[in-house]
Amino acid sequence: MTSSANTPSSPFDPDRRALVVGATGIGGSALVDLLAERGWEVTALSRRPGAPRAGVRALSADLRSAADLARVLADERPTHVFFTAWSRQATEEENIAVNGGMVRDLLAALSSAPVAHVALVTGLKHYLGPFEAYGQGAMPDTPFHEDEPRLDAPNFYYAQEDELFAAAARGGFTWSVHRSHTVIGHAVGNAMNMGLTLAVYASICRELGAPFVFPGSLTQWNGLTDMTDATVLAEQMVWAATSDAGRDEAFNVVNGDVFRWRWMWPRLAAYFGVDPVGPVETPQPLAERMADAQQVWDRLVAAHGLAEPDVARIASWWHTDADLGREIEVVTDMSKSRLAGFTLHHRTVDSFTALFDRYRAERLIP
C-alpha cells in the first residue's frame, strides 16, 4: 500500500483510556485496531459485541437509550471518546432526534469521567445536504472546505455537532469533528460498505460469467471523486485527539488522491478477473440487478467455505447505488489538516486491493 505516515506509533501511555463508540463499524473497527496497536487502554462500545480482540474490553449498550447508556457507562473513566456510530431513520427529523440524542446522552452518561477530548465522525452530507434533500438546492463549490457555512436545511450532522459543542462547553474538554467521504474498510454487517459490496458484486459476476457493469451514472464515471480509507480516518482521529493543532477543529478526511471511476473500474475488475463495462445513459442499480444474489452466494459459500452465508450482511447495495448514482461532483479539500500537521496519504486503488486481500484471507469472498 502506498502511503506516508506523519507520526510514529505512540508509546504506551497508561493515562490514555479510549472509549470507541460504534466499535464494530468500519471506522470504529479500524480505530480500535490502531489504538490497541499503540498501547492505549481500549473499551469498545457497540450495540452488539464484535469479535474478541487482544487488549480490548467490550461493552454493549443501546445507544438510543439514555437509561442504558447511564447504566453501562456509570463506572467508565475514559480520557478520550471517539464517536463513530449513527442510526439511519425514516426521516431527517427522526435522524436528528435519534442521532443527536445519542451524542447528547452518551456524553451526559460520562459527565463525571475525566474526558479530555471527544472526536466525532460525520461526513460530506454536511456540505451536500441530508438524505431527504441530498445534492439539492444551493451547495458550496467543490472541493469542499471546512469553513463553508451550514446549509439552510435540517441535518443530523449539525445536530450532532451542536450536542458535542454544548457538552464540551459544560465539561471543559476539547473536541474534533471528522468529515469523511465514502469510507471503505473492514467490517461485516455494516449498512454502508462499498468496499465489501463491490467485492461481492465482482465475485458474483465471475461466478455467473457476467460482465462487471458499472451500476452508476455517467457523471460519476467521468467526473473526479475521492474516498476515505478507514485507516486514514482512524489515524486522523487519534492525531486530532493528541495534538494541539487538532483541538476544537473540524477536518475533512479523505485519502488524498482523486480518481475517475472510468480509471478505477478496470483495475477493480482486473483483481477479480472479470470484464469491466461502463455505464449507460441511466444508472443500473445493484439493488435491482442483484435481487437474486443470495442464490448465487449460496453456491459460492458451499464451494469455497465462505465465512458469511447471508449476502445481505456483507453487501449494502442501496448505499453503493446512492454513491455511484450521484449526478454531482464530490471532491474534498484536505489542506486544513495537511497544514495543521496531518500528512498521511493513501492511494485509493491500493486501499481497495488491500481490503480485497484481507476479505479473501478471512474467507469473506472467494
Side-chain angles (χ1 to χ4, degrees), residues 226-262:
D226 50 26
M227 296 183 75
T228 306
D229 189 309
T231 62
V232 175
L233 173 59
E235 291 271 9
Q236 193 196 63
M237 294 179 78
V238 175
W239 165 79
T242 57
S243 166
D244 288 341
R247 293 170 183 165
D248 298 337
E249 298 286 353
F251 295 105
N252 294 331
V253 52
V254 289
N255 289 348
D257 66 338
V258 295
F259 64 91
R260 303 180 199 276
W261 280 106
R262 70 187 189 205

PDB file of all heavy atoms in Angstrom, residues 226-262:
ATOM      1  N   ASP A 226     -13.249  11.215  -4.673  1.00  0.00           N
ATOM      2  CA  ASP A 226     -12.262  10.716  -3.725  1.00  0.00           C
ATOM      3  C   ASP A 226     -12.966   9.822  -2.711  1.00  0.00           C
ATOM      4  O   ASP A 226     -14.197   9.705  -2.716  1.00  0.00           O
ATOM      5  CB  ASP A 226     -11.490  11.855  -3.037  1.00  0.00           C
ATOM      6  CG  ASP A 226     -12.391  12.935  -2.449  1.00  0.00           C
ATOM      7  OD1 ASP A 226     -13.557  12.637  -2.105  1.00  0.00           O
ATOM      8  OD2 ASP A 226     -11.939  14.089  -2.334  1.00  0.00           O
ATOM      9  N   MET A 227     -12.195   9.182  -1.846  1.00  0.00           N
ATOM     10  CA  MET A 227     -12.753   8.266  -0.851  1.00  0.00           C
ATOM     11  C   MET A 227     -11.918   8.334   0.411  1.00  0.00           C
ATOM     12  O   MET A 227     -10.846   8.955   0.439  1.00  0.00           O
ATOM     13  CB  MET A 227     -12.797   6.828  -1.388  1.00  0.00           C
ATOM     14  CG  MET A 227     -13.717   6.644  -2.580  1.00  0.00           C
ATOM     15  SD  MET A 227     -13.837   4.935  -3.149  1.00  0.00           S
ATOM     16  CE  MET A 227     -14.884   4.255  -1.871  1.00  0.00           C
ATOM     17  N   THR A 228     -12.392   7.655   1.454  1.00  0.00           N
ATOM     18  CA  THR A 228     -11.714   7.635   2.752  1.00  0.00           C
ATOM     19  C   THR A 228     -11.432   6.203   3.171  1.00  0.00           C
ATOM     20  O   THR A 228     -12.366   5.422   3.374  1.00  0.00           O
ATOM     21  CB  THR A 228     -12.584   8.311   3.834  1.00  0.00           C
ATOM     22  OG1 THR A 228     -12.945   9.622   3.407  1.00  0.00           O
ATOM     23  CG2 THR A 228     -11.835   8.389   5.149  1.00  0.00           C
ATOM     24  N   ASP A 229     -10.162   5.855   3.284  1.00  0.00           N
ATOM     25  CA  ASP A 229      -9.775   4.578   3.875  1.00  0.00           C
ATOM     26  C   ASP A 229     -10.003   4.668   5.377  1.00  0.00           C
ATOM     27  O   ASP A 229      -9.625   5.657   6.015  1.00  0.00           O
ATOM     28  CB  ASP A 229      -8.293   4.312   3.566  1.00  0.00           C
ATOM     29  CG  ASP A 229      -7.843   2.918   3.937  1.00  0.00           C
ATOM     30  OD1 ASP A 229      -8.089   2.497   5.089  1.00  0.00           O
ATOM     31  OD2 ASP A 229      -7.214   2.256   3.095  1.00  0.00           O
ATOM     32  N   ALA A 230     -10.623   3.659   5.954  1.00  0.00           N
ATOM     33  CA  ALA A 230     -10.926   3.686   7.386  1.00  0.00           C
ATOM     34  C   ALA A 230      -9.672   3.851   8.224  1.00  0.00           C
ATOM     35  O   ALA A 230      -9.721   4.445   9.316  1.00  0.00           O
ATOM     36  CB  ALA A 230     -11.657   2.409   7.789  1.00  0.00           C
ATOM     37  N   THR A 231      -8.539   3.367   7.735  1.00  0.00           N
ATOM     38  CA  THR A 231      -7.305   3.528   8.497  1.00  0.00           C
ATOM     39  C   THR A 231      -6.843   4.978   8.505  1.00  0.00           C
ATOM     40  O   THR A 231      -6.255   5.446   9.489  1.00  0.00           O
ATOM     41  CB  THR A 231      -6.190   2.628   7.950  1.00  0.00           C
ATOM     42  OG1 THR A 231      -5.890   2.997   6.593  1.00  0.00           O
ATOM     43  CG2 THR A 231      -6.604   1.167   7.979  1.00  0.00           C
ATOM     44  N   VAL A 232      -7.098   5.714   7.427  1.00  0.00           N
ATOM     45  CA  VAL A 232      -6.775   7.142   7.395  1.00  0.00           C
ATOM     46  C   VAL A 232      -7.670   7.909   8.361  1.00  0.00           C
ATOM     47  O   VAL A 232      -7.214   8.798   9.100  1.00  0.00           O
ATOM     48  CB  VAL A 232      -6.897   7.690   5.960  1.00  0.00           C
ATOM     49  CG1 VAL A 232      -6.677   9.202   5.934  1.00  0.00           C
ATOM     50  CG2 VAL A 232      -5.912   7.004   5.023  1.00  0.00           C
ATOM     51  N   LEU A 233      -8.958   7.571   8.371  1.00  0.00           N
ATOM     52  CA  LEU A 233      -9.883   8.186   9.312  1.00  0.00           C
ATOM     53  C   LEU A 233      -9.423   7.947  10.743  1.00  0.00           C
ATOM     54  O   LEU A 233      -9.408   8.878  11.573  1.00  0.00           O
ATOM     55  CB  LEU A 233     -11.285   7.619   9.092  1.00  0.00           C
ATOM     56  CG  LEU A 233     -12.366   8.019  10.090  1.00  0.00           C
ATOM     57  CD1 LEU A 233     -12.563   9.530  10.132  1.00  0.00           C
ATOM     58  CD2 LEU A 233     -13.682   7.312   9.758  1.00  0.00           C
ATOM     59  N   ALA A 234      -9.068   6.711  11.054  1.00  0.00           N
ATOM     60  CA  ALA A 234      -8.616   6.393  12.413  1.00  0.00           C
ATOM     61  C   ALA A 234      -7.372   7.183  12.784  1.00  0.00           C
ATOM     62  O   ALA A 234      -7.267   7.733  13.892  1.00  0.00           O
ATOM     63  CB  ALA A 234      -8.354   4.892  12.530  1.00  0.00           C
ATOM     64  N   GLU A 235      -6.417   7.236  11.872  1.00  0.00           N
ATOM     65  CA  GLU A 235      -5.178   7.977  12.138  1.00  0.00           C
ATOM     66  C   GLU A 235      -5.472   9.454  12.385  1.00  0.00           C
ATOM     67  O   GLU A 235      -4.886  10.070  13.286  1.00  0.00           O
ATOM     68  CB  GLU A 235      -4.218   7.829  10.957  1.00  0.00           C
ATOM     69  CG  GLU A 235      -3.630   6.442  10.776  1.00  0.00           C
ATOM     70  CD  GLU A 235      -2.345   6.236  11.563  1.00  0.00           C
ATOM     71  OE1 GLU A 235      -2.002   7.114  12.389  1.00  0.00           O
ATOM     72  OE2 GLU A 235      -1.691   5.202  11.349  1.00  0.00           O
ATOM     73  N   GLN A 236      -6.371  10.043  11.594  1.00  0.00           N
ATOM     74  CA  GLN A 236      -6.657  11.463  11.790  1.00  0.00           C
ATOM     75  C   GLN A 236      -7.339  11.714  13.131  1.00  0.00           C
ATOM     76  O   GLN A 236      -7.052  12.704  13.816  1.00  0.00           O
ATOM     77  CB  GLN A 236      -7.519  12.022  10.654  1.00  0.00           C
ATOM     78  CG  GLN A 236      -7.569  13.555  10.669  1.00  0.00           C
ATOM     79  CD  GLN A 236      -8.673  14.127   9.833  1.00  0.00           C
ATOM     80  OE1 GLN A 236      -9.853  13.910  10.099  1.00  0.00           O
ATOM     81  NE2 GLN A 236      -8.304  14.873   8.796  1.00  0.00           N
ATOM     82  N   MET A 237      -8.234  10.819  13.532  1.00  0.00           N
ATOM     83  CA  MET A 237      -8.918  10.989  14.808  1.00  0.00           C
ATOM     84  C   MET A 237      -7.942  10.928  15.976  1.00  0.00           C
ATOM     85  O   MET A 237      -8.022  11.740  16.906  1.00  0.00           O
ATOM     86  CB  MET A 237     -10.010   9.932  14.961  1.00  0.00           C
ATOM     87  CG  MET A 237     -11.145  10.073  13.965  1.00  0.00           C
ATOM     88  SD  MET A 237     -12.403   8.798  14.172  1.00  0.00           S
ATOM     89  CE  MET A 237     -13.285   9.426  15.605  1.00  0.00           C
ATOM     90  N   VAL A 238      -7.009   9.989  15.939  1.00  0.00           N
ATOM     91  CA  VAL A 238      -6.026   9.879  17.016  1.00  0.00           C
ATOM     92  C   VAL A 238      -5.094  11.083  16.999  1.00  0.00           C
ATOM     93  O   VAL A 238      -4.749  11.638  18.056  1.00  0.00           O
ATOM     94  CB  VAL A 238      -5.242   8.556  16.902  1.00  0.00           C
ATOM     95  CG1 VAL A 238      -4.127   8.489  17.937  1.00  0.00           C
ATOM     96  CG2 VAL A 238      -6.189   7.368  17.074  1.00  0.00           C
ATOM     97  N   TRP A 239      -4.687  11.515  15.817  1.00  0.00           N
ATOM     98  CA  TRP A 239      -3.843  12.711  15.706  1.00  0.00           C
ATOM     99  C   TRP A 239      -4.542  13.925  16.318  1.00  0.00           C
ATOM    100  O   TRP A 239      -3.955  14.662  17.117  1.00  0.00           O
ATOM    101  CB  TRP A 239      -3.510  12.963  14.244  1.00  0.00           C
ATOM    102  CG  TRP A 239      -2.963  14.347  13.991  1.00  0.00           C
ATOM    103  CD1 TRP A 239      -1.685  14.778  14.216  1.00  0.00           C
ATOM    104  CD2 TRP A 239      -3.693  15.479  13.497  1.00  0.00           C
ATOM    105  NE1 TRP A 239      -1.573  16.112  13.894  1.00  0.00           N
ATOM    106  CE2 TRP A 239      -2.793  16.564  13.457  1.00  0.00           C
ATOM    107  CE3 TRP A 239      -5.014  15.674  13.097  1.00  0.00           C
ATOM    108  CZ2 TRP A 239      -3.168  17.837  13.015  1.00  0.00           C
ATOM    109  CZ3 TRP A 239      -5.404  16.935  12.655  1.00  0.00           C
ATOM    110  CH2 TRP A 239      -4.485  17.995  12.621  1.00  0.00           C
ATOM    111  N   ALA A 240      -5.800  14.153  15.955  1.00  0.00           N
ATOM    112  CA  ALA A 240      -6.525  15.318  16.459  1.00  0.00           C
ATOM    113  C   ALA A 240      -6.718  15.240  17.970  1.00  0.00           C
ATOM    114  O   ALA A 240      -6.686  16.266  18.664  1.00  0.00           O
ATOM    115  CB  ALA A 240      -7.873  15.440  15.759  1.00  0.00           C
ATOM    116  N   ALA A 241      -6.925  14.027  18.485  1.00  0.00           N
ATOM    117  CA  ALA A 241      -7.171  13.850  19.910  1.00  0.00           C
ATOM    118  C   ALA A 241      -5.921  14.042  20.750  1.00  0.00           C
ATOM    119  O   ALA A 241      -6.015  14.239  21.966  1.00  0.00           O
ATOM    120  CB  ALA A 241      -7.748  12.457  20.170  1.00  0.00           C
ATOM    121  N   THR A 242      -4.746  14.000  20.126  1.00  0.00           N
ATOM    122  CA  THR A 242      -3.481  14.052  20.870  1.00  0.00           C
ATOM    123  C   THR A 242      -2.578  15.176  20.399  1.00  0.00           C
ATOM    124  O   THR A 242      -1.415  15.245  20.794  1.00  0.00           O
ATOM    125  CB  THR A 242      -2.737  12.712  20.743  1.00  0.00           C
ATOM    126  OG1 THR A 242      -2.521  12.408  19.357  1.00  0.00           O
ATOM    127  CG2 THR A 242      -3.529  11.576  21.376  1.00  0.00           C
ATOM    128  N   SER A 243      -3.084  16.061  19.553  1.00  0.00           N
ATOM    129  CA  SER A 243      -2.281  17.145  19.003  1.00  0.00           C
ATOM    130  C   SER A 243      -2.943  18.484  19.305  1.00  0.00           C
ATOM    131  O   SER A 243      -4.161  18.625  19.151  1.00  0.00           O
ATOM    132  CB  SER A 243      -2.134  16.976  17.484  1.00  0.00           C
ATOM    133  OG  SER A 243      -1.641  18.152  16.878  1.00  0.00           O
ATOM    134  N   ASP A 244      -2.151  19.462  19.705  1.00  0.00           N
ATOM    135  CA  ASP A 244      -2.713  20.791  19.949  1.00  0.00           C
ATOM    136  C   ASP A 244      -3.387  21.350  18.711  1.00  0.00           C
ATOM    137  O   ASP A 244      -4.417  22.038  18.802  1.00  0.00           O
ATOM    138  CB  ASP A 244      -1.610  21.757  20.406  1.00  0.00           C
ATOM    139  CG  ASP A 244      -1.127  21.467  21.818  1.00  0.00           C
ATOM    140  OD1 ASP A 244      -1.861  20.787  22.569  1.00  0.00           O
ATOM    141  OD2 ASP A 244      -0.015  21.912  22.168  1.00  0.00           O
ATOM    142  N   ALA A 245      -2.831  21.057  17.536  1.00  0.00           N
ATOM    143  CA  ALA A 245      -3.380  21.597  16.291  1.00  0.00           C
ATOM    144  C   ALA A 245      -4.718  20.980  15.921  1.00  0.00           C
ATOM    145  O   ALA A 245      -5.447  21.528  15.089  1.00  0.00           O
ATOM    146  CB  ALA A 245      -2.382  21.372  15.145  1.00  0.00           C
ATOM    147  N   GLY A 246      -5.062  19.841  16.527  1.00  0.00           N
ATOM    148  CA  GLY A 246      -6.310  19.172  16.189  1.00  0.00           C
ATOM    149  C   GLY A 246      -7.472  19.508  17.089  1.00  0.00           C
ATOM    150  O   GLY A 246      -8.599  19.079  16.830  1.00  0.00           O
ATOM    151  N   ARG A 247      -7.227  20.271  18.120  1.00  0.00           N
ATOM    152  CA  ARG A 247      -8.264  20.503  19.127  1.00  0.00           C
ATOM    153  C   ARG A 247      -9.242  21.603  18.707  1.00  0.00           C
ATOM    154  O   ARG A 247      -8.835  22.639  18.186  1.00  0.00           O
ATOM    155  CB  ARG A 247      -7.614  20.863  20.455  1.00  0.00           C
ATOM    156  CG  ARG A 247      -6.836  19.688  21.041  1.00  0.00           C
ATOM    157  CD  ARG A 247      -5.991  20.083  22.231  1.00  0.00           C
ATOM    158  NE  ARG A 247      -5.220  18.936  22.717  1.00  0.00           N
ATOM    159  CZ  ARG A 247      -4.185  19.031  23.544  1.00  0.00           C
ATOM    160  NH1 ARG A 247      -3.794  20.214  23.983  1.00  0.00           N
ATOM    161  NH2 ARG A 247      -3.542  17.948  23.921  1.00  0.00           N
ATOM    162  N   ASP A 248     -10.516  21.338  18.960  1.00  0.00           N
ATOM    163  CA  ASP A 248     -11.587  22.306  18.679  1.00  0.00           C
ATOM    164  C   ASP A 248     -11.609  22.714  17.211  1.00  0.00           C
ATOM    165  O   ASP A 248     -11.778  23.885  16.871  1.00  0.00           O
ATOM    166  CB  ASP A 248     -11.440  23.542  19.578  1.00  0.00           C
ATOM    167  CG  ASP A 248     -11.549  23.208  21.054  1.00  0.00           C
ATOM    168  OD1 ASP A 248     -12.146  22.162  21.387  1.00  0.00           O
ATOM    169  OD2 ASP A 248     -11.042  23.980  21.880  1.00  0.00           O
ATOM    170  N   GLU A 249     -11.461  21.713  16.346  1.00  0.00           N
ATOM    171  CA  GLU A 249     -11.447  21.950  14.906  1.00  0.00           C
ATOM    172  C   GLU A 249     -12.255  20.872  14.190  1.00  0.00           C
ATOM    173  O   GLU A 249     -12.351  19.734  14.658  1.00  0.00           O
ATOM    174  CB  GLU A 249     -10.021  21.945  14.338  1.00  0.00           C
ATOM    175  CG  GLU A 249      -9.101  23.030  14.887  1.00  0.00           C
ATOM    176  CD  GLU A 249      -9.426  24.402  14.339  1.00  0.00           C
ATOM    177  OE1 GLU A 249     -10.275  24.516  13.428  1.00  0.00           O
ATOM    178  OE2 GLU A 249      -8.824  25.386  14.828  1.00  0.00           O
ATOM    179  N   ALA A 250     -12.808  21.235  13.033  1.00  0.00           N
ATOM    180  CA  ALA A 250     -13.437  20.267  12.125  1.00  0.00           C
ATOM    181  C   ALA A 250     -12.502  20.042  10.949  1.00  0.00           C
ATOM    182  O   ALA A 250     -11.911  21.003  10.421  1.00  0.00           O
ATOM    183  CB  ALA A 250     -14.780  20.794  11.645  1.00  0.00           C
ATOM    184  N   PHE A 251     -12.347  18.790  10.535  1.00  0.00           N
ATOM    185  CA  PHE A 251     -11.447  18.440   9.448  1.00  0.00           C
ATOM    186  C   PHE A 251     -12.136  17.535   8.437  1.00  0.00           C
ATOM    187  O   PHE A 251     -12.805  16.562   8.816  1.00  0.00           O
ATOM    188  CB  PHE A 251     -10.223  17.686   9.982  1.00  0.00           C
ATOM    189  CG  PHE A 251      -9.328  18.493  10.884  1.00  0.00           C
ATOM    190  CD1 PHE A 251      -9.347  18.258  12.255  1.00  0.00           C
ATOM    191  CD2 PHE A 251      -8.487  19.468  10.384  1.00  0.00           C
ATOM    192  CE1 PHE A 251      -8.526  18.985  13.101  1.00  0.00           C
ATOM    193  CE2 PHE A 251      -7.669  20.204  11.219  1.00  0.00           C
ATOM    194  CZ  PHE A 251      -7.682  19.958  12.585  1.00  0.00           C
ATOM    195  N   ASN A 252     -11.959  17.835   7.162  1.00  0.00           N
ATOM    196  CA  ASN A 252     -12.263  16.843   6.137  1.00  0.00           C
ATOM    197  C   ASN A 252     -11.244  15.723   6.243  1.00  0.00           C
ATOM    198  O   ASN A 252     -10.097  15.942   6.662  1.00  0.00           O
ATOM    199  CB  ASN A 252     -12.183  17.469   4.741  1.00  0.00           C
ATOM    200  CG  ASN A 252     -13.251  18.515   4.507  1.00  0.00           C
ATOM    201  OD1 ASN A 252     -14.339  18.447   5.078  1.00  0.00           O
ATOM    202  ND2 ASN A 252     -12.954  19.489   3.658  1.00  0.00           N
ATOM    203  N   VAL A 253     -11.641  14.515   5.836  1.00  0.00           N
ATOM    204  CA  VAL A 253     -10.684  13.409   5.858  1.00  0.00           C
ATOM    205  C   VAL A 253     -10.961  12.463   4.690  1.00  0.00           C
ATOM    206  O   VAL A 253     -11.983  11.774   4.644  1.00  0.00           O
ATOM    207  CB  VAL A 253     -10.699  12.660   7.222  1.00  0.00           C
ATOM    208  CG1 VAL A 253     -12.101  12.229   7.631  1.00  0.00           C
ATOM    209  CG2 VAL A 253      -9.747  11.474   7.188  1.00  0.00           C
ATOM    210  N   VAL A 254     -10.048  12.493   3.713  1.00  0.00           N
ATOM    211  CA  VAL A 254     -10.062  11.578   2.574  1.00  0.00           C
ATOM    212  C   VAL A 254      -8.634  11.078   2.364  1.00  0.00           C
ATOM    213  O   VAL A 254      -7.695  11.525   3.021  1.00  0.00           O
ATOM    214  CB  VAL A 254     -10.600  12.246   1.294  1.00  0.00           C
ATOM    215  CG1 VAL A 254     -12.097  12.485   1.392  1.00  0.00           C
ATOM    216  CG2 VAL A 254      -9.872  13.556   1.002  1.00  0.00           C
ATOM    217  N   ASN A 255      -8.469  10.161   1.419  1.00  0.00           N
ATOM    218  CA  ASN A 255      -7.160   9.541   1.228  1.00  0.00           C
ATOM    219  C   ASN A 255      -6.099  10.516   0.743  1.00  0.00           C
ATOM    220  O   ASN A 255      -4.918  10.337   1.001  1.00  0.00           O
ATOM    221  CB  ASN A 255      -7.265   8.379   0.243  1.00  0.00           C
ATOM    222  CG  ASN A 255      -7.998   7.198   0.842  1.00  0.00           C
ATOM    223  OD1 ASN A 255      -8.237   7.141   2.046  1.00  0.00           O
ATOM    224  ND2 ASN A 255      -8.376   6.249   0.000  1.00  0.00           N
ATOM    225  N   GLY A 256      -6.523  11.525  -0.014  1.00  0.00           N
ATOM    226  CA  GLY A 256      -5.571  12.500  -0.524  1.00  0.00           C
ATOM    227  C   GLY A 256      -5.402  12.464  -2.024  1.00  0.00           C
ATOM    228  O   GLY A 256      -4.907  13.429  -2.611  1.00  0.00           O
ATOM    229  N   ASP A 257      -5.805  11.355  -2.667  1.00  0.00           N
ATOM    230  CA  ASP A 257      -5.769  11.295  -4.120  1.00  0.00           C
ATOM    231  C   ASP A 257      -7.177  11.534  -4.667  1.00  0.00           C
ATOM    232  O   ASP A 257      -8.160  11.491  -3.930  1.00  0.00           O
ATOM    233  CB  ASP A 257      -5.235   9.948  -4.616  1.00  0.00           C
ATOM    234  CG  ASP A 257      -6.162   8.776  -4.269  1.00  0.00           C
ATOM    235  OD1 ASP A 257      -6.979   8.905  -3.322  1.00  0.00           O
ATOM    236  OD2 ASP A 257      -6.079   7.738  -4.932  1.00  0.00           O
ATOM    237  N   VAL A 258      -7.268  11.813  -5.957  1.00  0.00           N
ATOM    238  CA  VAL A 258      -8.549  11.874  -6.649  1.00  0.00           C
ATOM    239  C   VAL A 258      -8.477  10.914  -7.821  1.00  0.00           C
ATOM    240  O   VAL A 258      -7.394  10.587  -8.321  1.00  0.00           O
ATOM    241  CB  VAL A 258      -8.903  13.302  -7.131  1.00  0.00           C
ATOM    242  CG1 VAL A 258      -9.109  14.228  -5.943  1.00  0.00           C
ATOM    243  CG2 VAL A 258      -7.836  13.854  -8.063  1.00  0.00           C
ATOM    244  N   PHE A 259      -9.631  10.438  -8.277  1.00  0.00           N
ATOM    245  CA  PHE A 259      -9.650   9.490  -9.385  1.00  0.00           C
ATOM    246  C   PHE A 259     -10.977   9.605 -10.113  1.00  0.00           C
ATOM    247  O   PHE A 259     -11.916  10.252  -9.629  1.00  0.00           O
ATOM    248  CB  PHE A 259      -9.438   8.054  -8.882  1.00  0.00           C
ATOM    249  CG  PHE A 259     -10.534   7.548  -7.974  1.00  0.00           C
ATOM    250  CD1 PHE A 259     -11.630   6.867  -8.488  1.00  0.00           C
ATOM    251  CD2 PHE A 259     -10.469   7.748  -6.601  1.00  0.00           C
ATOM    252  CE1 PHE A 259     -12.646   6.405  -7.665  1.00  0.00           C
ATOM    253  CE2 PHE A 259     -11.478   7.290  -5.761  1.00  0.00           C
ATOM    254  CZ  PHE A 259     -12.567   6.619  -6.292  1.00  0.00           C
ATOM    255  N   ARG A 260     -11.052   9.005 -11.270  1.00  0.00           N
ATOM    256  CA  ARG A 260     -12.305   8.849 -12.012  1.00  0.00           C
ATOM    257  C   ARG A 260     -12.649   7.368 -12.015  1.00  0.00           C
ATOM    258  O   ARG A 260     -11.777   6.511 -12.153  1.00  0.00           O
ATOM    259  CB  ARG A 260     -12.167   9.362 -13.451  1.00  0.00           C
ATOM    260  CG  ARG A 260     -11.739  10.802 -13.558  1.00  0.00           C
ATOM    261  CD  ARG A 260     -11.626  11.231 -15.029  1.00  0.00           C
ATOM    262  NE  ARG A 260     -10.801  12.430 -15.167  1.00  0.00           N
ATOM    263  CZ  ARG A 260     -11.238  13.674 -15.018  1.00  0.00           C
ATOM    264  NH1 ARG A 260     -12.508  13.883 -14.748  1.00  0.00           N
ATOM    265  NH2 ARG A 260     -10.422  14.699 -15.146  1.00  0.00           N
ATOM    266  N   TRP A 261     -13.935   7.063 -11.885  1.00  0.00           N
ATOM    267  CA  TRP A 261     -14.339   5.658 -11.888  1.00  0.00           C
ATOM    268  C   TRP A 261     -13.999   4.985 -13.205  1.00  0.00           C
ATOM    269  O   TRP A 261     -13.751   3.778 -13.249  1.00  0.00           O
ATOM    270  CB  TRP A 261     -15.825   5.518 -11.563  1.00  0.00           C
ATOM    271  CG  TRP A 261     -16.099   5.623 -10.099  1.00  0.00           C
ATOM    272  CD1 TRP A 261     -16.666   6.659  -9.425  1.00  0.00           C
ATOM    273  CD2 TRP A 261     -15.772   4.629  -9.104  1.00  0.00           C
ATOM    274  NE1 TRP A 261     -16.727   6.382  -8.074  1.00  0.00           N
ATOM    275  CE2 TRP A 261     -16.188   5.149  -7.858  1.00  0.00           C
ATOM    276  CE3 TRP A 261     -15.176   3.370  -9.163  1.00  0.00           C
ATOM    277  CZ2 TRP A 261     -16.022   4.430  -6.669  1.00  0.00           C
ATOM    278  CZ3 TRP A 261     -15.012   2.659  -7.988  1.00  0.00           C
ATOM    279  CH2 TRP A 261     -15.430   3.188  -6.764  1.00  0.00           C
ATOM    280  N   ARG A 262     -13.965   5.733 -14.304  1.00  0.00           N
ATOM    281  CA  ARG A 262     -13.605   5.113 -15.585  1.00  0.00           C
ATOM    282  C   ARG A 262     -12.153   4.623 -15.563  1.00  0.00           C
ATOM    283  O   ARG A 262     -11.776   3.744 -16.344  1.00  0.00           O
ATOM    284  CB  ARG A 262     -13.850   6.078 -16.737  1.00  0.00           C
ATOM    285  CG  ARG A 262     -12.908   7.257 -16.804  1.00  0.00           C
ATOM    286  CD  ARG A 262     -13.339   8.246 -17.864  1.00  0.00           C
ATOM    287  NE  ARG A 262     -12.351   9.272 -18.104  1.00  0.00           N
ATOM    288  CZ  ARG A 262     -12.628  10.486 -18.584  1.00  0.00           C
ATOM    289  NH1 ARG A 262     -13.891  10.818 -18.848  1.00  0.00           N
ATOM    290  NH2 ARG A 262     -11.672  11.364 -18.785  1.00  0.00           N
TER     291      ARG A 262
END
